[in-house]
Amino acid sequence: MSRIDSKKFFGWSGPAAGAAIFRIIKNIGPLSRTDIVKKTGLSKSTVSVHTKKLLEMGLIKEAEAENKSVGSVGRNRQLLKFAKNNGVIVAIDLGATSLNVGLCNLDAEIIDMKSKKTLVNNGPKIIMEEIDIFIEKLLESNEIADKKIFGIGMGVPGPVEFSKGTPVSPPIMPGWHLFPLKKVLQQKYSCPAFIDNDVNVMAVGEKHAGLAQNISNFIFIKIGTGIGAGIICEDELYRGSKGCAGDIGHIAVEGEQEFCPCGNRGCLEVVAAGPAIAKKAKIAAQNKESEILLSFLNIKGELTAEDVGEAVKRNDKASIDIIKNSGQKIGQVVSRLVNFYNPSLIIIGGGVANLGNYLISSIKEEVLRHSTSLAVQDLEIELSQKNEEVAVIGAAAMAVNEIYSHDNVTEMVYLDSGSD
Amino acid sequence: MSRIDSKKFFGWSGPAAGAAIFRIIKNIGPLSRTDIVKKTGLSKSTVSVHTKKLLEMGLIKEAEAENKSVGSVGRNRQLLKFAKNNGVIVAIDLGATSLNVGLCNLDAEIIDMKSKKTLVNNGPKIIMEEIDIFIEKLLESNEIADKKIFGIGMGVPGPVEFSKGTPVSPPIMPGWHLFPLKKVLQQKYSCPAFIDNDVNVMAVGEKHAGLAQNISNFIFIKIGTGIGAGIICEDELYRGSKGCAGDIGHIAVEGEQEFCPCGNRGCLEVVAAGPAIAKKAKIAAQNKESEILLSFLNIKGELTAEDVGEAVKRNDKASIDIIKNSGQKIGQVVSRLVNFYNPSLIIIGGGVANLGNYLISSIKEEVLRHSTSLAVQDLEIELSQKNEEVAVIGAAAMAVNEIYSHDNVTEMVYLDSGSD
């Protein structure tokens, strides 16, 4: 290719080698120095110098020998591993109606988490206070000093300009347009902060610790109040040219005419997401097509997608049809994306994904029917197994990936060396 | 991300630095040794050792000083550039009804080219003979020795398993299924050969020397007998998990019911590609909706998409409507892909793309109407400017990119050094 990223060539000398050694230990460690020489092609002396430096910097640590007699293990056989407990990441998952704040180690494993119902449209002032209270409590109860926060990752339910870390015209986040989330968090906690939209964060979470750990090309689809997708391309999150890749909620569904607030008609999220399911359920109840839904409606005055899920569990035919219908519409759109993108995995998550297997089987049916045979040959379509916490894991993993990027570690090693 | 490609870490010592220096010279040269030190962060001595080695290997050469008084330019100011004329690439563009064979330099610039009408469904035996004859003639008339062929790149009009270099169940290439193209070419010409489908090759051509030289994320759409797309993601060709990414010809178009040989109904290429245009033209002629088309039909007995293009040039309303209608259907599919992929450029190429501006304006209209406003904010939709030769350039560029990949050049430098 004719373009070049000059940063790729920064420091092939000492510091870059140190960063490469760190990355290989972090990703596939524990490893001995001899393993590292074999896997990197670096000389023994280079590996020796840099592992010493990485140990001093606290980026890696010696793994305890399994027989506990460390003394008997030769220095070159001593295993080295990522010092994942050397600091913490704060991971924030802000939803339309909920807030989860996790305290994670540097491998994005959740140490502790606090959750509450709240409303994102309460605006930044109230929500930021709630976040601060949660962080304070988490640090206190886990006896962690402020300065141990290495970074903050956060997912929000709307479009984000990633480099600036601000929501941009988010439809369901009134009061948040251009709010400087990244800046506010960085100043308050004196550490780097990274903000992205919730589906991107969830896709990163599935890649880091979910169903997609060994998958290079996949799509994560969140079905809740809206519908959106996070795209992983060759192991990296793909954001598109304006950062809005994966915005599949406004793809038109064949034969649908319903108006969408975006100005178009028949958009996928208007005809298939949570509110559409609730609306169809209300009509079914009023038309006396479902006794269960009617009884729910009489008791509560309104119906939600969760009520439909409850009725499905009781084998209510009208509710099953409603869920299948949503699955078909989603499957229709997904089948087109499968032809275009040829992923090897599609993960379905979000609130509506909890509504049972009828949804996913309808999606699968449509994809098998409409995608080309080569594109579906090894395609898996799965429900997220970590639906409740994948956004927190993903927010932490996003922060860790950024903080320990190759360029950043190269610079850390370089600065630690004085000069090189 | 948690997966690791150990090849990324091969040889951060000498040879990798040599490869990095080569790449920066190839991509943004001519550069002086001082420039290289600045851009790479490598030490003066490392740059000096490796540029000497790369010069000896013939991978780079000294650029002539502009004032021709080389002696007066200090060694560190002497400009170095990619030795693009140190060998040739044979680039083969096999279409459904045509064959182009180009002789290119190592920067994928066409030195000479031979073209003929032929039929891919004549099968491998006849076509491979035609290719051999063209290569022989090109080498002879340009006085190039066999051993100067550094590599062969080839695009074919059907699905290809890239690593094996064989067509896989190609619908319009009877007799070519699993034909070992890569192996046959490699053995005959004693050089590496790389085979891909035509749209991928064309996308690489646009990236290397066409409209997309500075674009990281774009889609190339070829409209001819069929419709397909080549996807560039973060500057690299994206093939998908089974190598069939971009297969948009079989995405269903809303409201269309026509049967497609693939088994589905309403597939884009059945309702909007060249044969569909020709078929609609025949109906228009028979219904006396167009005098021009009727006169063409009476003279020739059949109509082609080119005839419709000719009628459009003469302002024939029925023909303009036919082209616009195809553009709308293509635009409907493209608008969905734009929401999902958020590219900054879409390039339209292929035979039907030559039919004038009505096609592209209809596509643009649909995309503007149906894609989200953020996704179209900086989106350009353009006709390929090198439609006739972009496949040859792309086939050559694909071969050059593979031959001079970072890993390969690292190995060349390593082997040249004996050991390191």
Side-chain angles (χ1 to χ4, degrees), chain A residues 1-6 8-13 16-17 19-21 23-28 39-43 159 168 204 207-209 212-219 229 231-248 250-257 264 332-333 335-344 369-372 374-375 377-378 401 406, chain B residues 1-6 8-13 16-17 19-21 23-28 39-43 159 168 204 207-209 212-219 229 231-248 250-257 264 332-333 335-344 369-372 374-375 377-378 401 406:
Chain A
M1 306 293 159
S2 57
R3 249 170 57 115
I4 196 162
D5 177 3
S6 67
K8 275 191 190 154
F9 302 109
F10 170 75
W12 288 81
S13 53
I21 292 169
R23 185 164 156 183
I24 202 166
I25 292 170
K26 175 172 178 289
N27 288 348
I28 60 168
K39 285 183 188 293
T40 59
L42 292 168
S43 70
V168 180
V204 171
K207 173 76 194 162
H208 186 80
Q213 289 174 63
N214 298 311
I215 306 287
S216 293
N217 301 305
F218 73 95
I219 306 174
I231 305 168
I232 301 286
C233 178
E234 305 299 353
D235 296 314
E236 304 284 343
L237 182 65
Y238 172 73
R239 292 191 173 89
S241 77
K242 297 295 290 181
C244 66
D247 194 359
I248 65 170
H250 297 282
I251 290 182
V253 176
E254 189 165 339
E256 297 289 337
Q257 290 298 322
N264 274 316
Q332 194 199 100
V333 167
S335 70
R336 294 176 158 109
L337 305 182
V338 165
N339 280 3
F340 174 74
Y341 193 66
N342 185 209
S344 53
R369 190 178 299 158
H370 293 297
S371 301
T372 62
L374 190 57
Q377 198 169 299
D378 293 326
N401 290 341
H406 180 73
Chain B
M1 305 296 158
S2 57
R3 249 169 56 116
I4 196 162
D5 177 2
S6 67
K8 276 191 189 152
F9 301 108
F10 170 76
W12 288 80
S13 54
I21 291 170
R23 186 163 155 182
I24 202 166
I25 292 171
K26 175 171 178 289
N27 289 345
I28 61 168
K39 286 182 188 294
T40 60
L42 292 168
S43 71
V168 181
V204 171
K207 174 75 193 160
H208 186 81
Q213 290 175 61
N214 298 310
I215 305 288
S216 293
N217 301 305
F218 73 95
I219 305 174
I231 305 167
I232 301 285
C233 179
E234 305 300 354
D235 297 314
E236 304 284 342
L237 182 66
Y238 172 74
R239 293 191 172 89
S241 77
K242 298 295 287 182
C244 66
D247 193 0
I248 64 171
H250 298 281
I251 291 181
V253 176
E254 191 166 339
E256 297 290 337
Q257 290 297 322
N264 274 317
Q332 194 199 100
V333 168
S335 71
R336 295 176 158 108
L337 305 182
V338 165
N339 280 4
F340 173 74
Y341 193 65
N342 185 206
S344 53
R369 189 178 297 159
H370 293 297
S371 301
T372 63
L374 190 56
Q377 199 168 297
D378 293 327
N401 290 341
H406 181 71

Side-chain angles (χ1 to χ4, degrees), chain A residues 240-347:
Chain A
S241 77
K242 297 295 290 181
C244 66
D247 194 359
I248 65 170
H250 297 282
I251 290 182
V253 176
E254 189 165 339
E256 297 289 337
Q257 290 298 322
E258 200 155 340
F259 274 110
C260 176
C262 81
N264 274 316
R265 285 165 175 263
C267 290
L268 179 63
E269 71 179 35
V270 166
V271 301
I277 291 171
K279 194 171 154 191
K280 283 178 203 156
K282 193 171 177 183
I283 294 168
Q286 287 166 336
N287 290 347
K288 308 228 164 25
E289 290 163 21
S290 159
E291 280 182 30
I292 303 176
L293 290 176
L294 181 58
S295 70
F296 286 167
L297 182 62
N298 287 338
I299 296 164
K300 303 170 62 181
E302 270 308 329
L303 288 175
T304 64
E306 287 72 40
D307 297 326
V308 182
E310 190 53 43
V312 166
K313 278 186 200 153
R314 302 189 200 172
N315 258 323
D316 177 57
K317 191 178 170 307
S319 298
I320 292 172
D321 287 347
I322 290 169
I323 295 295
K324 278 187 177 173
N325 187 266
S326 268
Q328 279 162 9
K329 293 188 196 332
I330 295 163
Q332 194 199 100
V333 167
V334 171
S335 70
R336 294 176 158 109
L337 305 182
V338 165
N339 280 3
F340 174 74
Y341 193 66
N342 185 209
S344 53
L345 173 66
I346 292 172
I347 304 174

